[in-house]
Amino acid sequence: MSPERVDLLRQWHDDASDQLHALGAHSVTYLGLDLQIPEQVFPPTPTSDLLGGEVRARVAAGHRVLDMGSGAGANAILAAQTAREVVAVDVNPIAVETTAANAARNGVGDRVDARVSDVFEHVDATSISS
């Protein structure tokens, strides 16, 4: 990817982040989920439905799922509605707390293991029990 494209995407992300964080702490209903979003956590966006729909369509009973960059936990929760277990990671400790709280709020807290991790830093093949 060209440096110009990287700069464009970074600017888009920063602008979107500023707009979303300006909402402050708030509640959202997203694909039937009740989510509480603190100011410091990136909420689902209008395009999030694309990924959420794929999570619902592709996760099957018995699957073990890794949600990287969990944010408020929407995709981890959607996966946990069907999957055997989900590990949800984010570099933001507030997002990790939010994921765990939202998972409990939506009845799947027992199947979502939320942890602070930068990509695979605190995740390995044995992190998810067999």
Side-chain angles (χ1 to χ4, degrees), residues 78-110:
L78 291 171
Q81 290 175 331
T82 305
R84 169 166 50 118
E85 64 186 309
V86 177
V87 172
V89 300
D90 202 296
V91 296
N92 178 351
I94 298 169
V96 172
E97 292 171 15
T98 301
T99 292
N102 281 329
R105 179 177 294 102
N106 286 276
V108 295
D110 60 328

Side-chain angles (χ1 to χ4, degrees), residues 104-129:
R105 179 177 294 102
N106 286 276
V108 295
D110 60 328
R111 288 191 304 284
V112 175
D113 174 8
R115 45 176 97 152
V116 175
S117 183
D118 184 4
V119 189
F120 292 110
E121 181 181 16
H122 296 288
V123 177
D124 60 36
T126 61
S127 292
I128 304 175
S129 61

Side-chain angles (χ1 to χ4, degrees), residues 27-46:
S27 303
V28 297
T29 300
Y30 169 75
L31 296 178
L33 304 177
D34 172 27
L35 302 175
Q36 299 298 312
I37 315 291
E39 180 178 344
Q40 304 89 339
V41 175
F42 207 81
T45 67

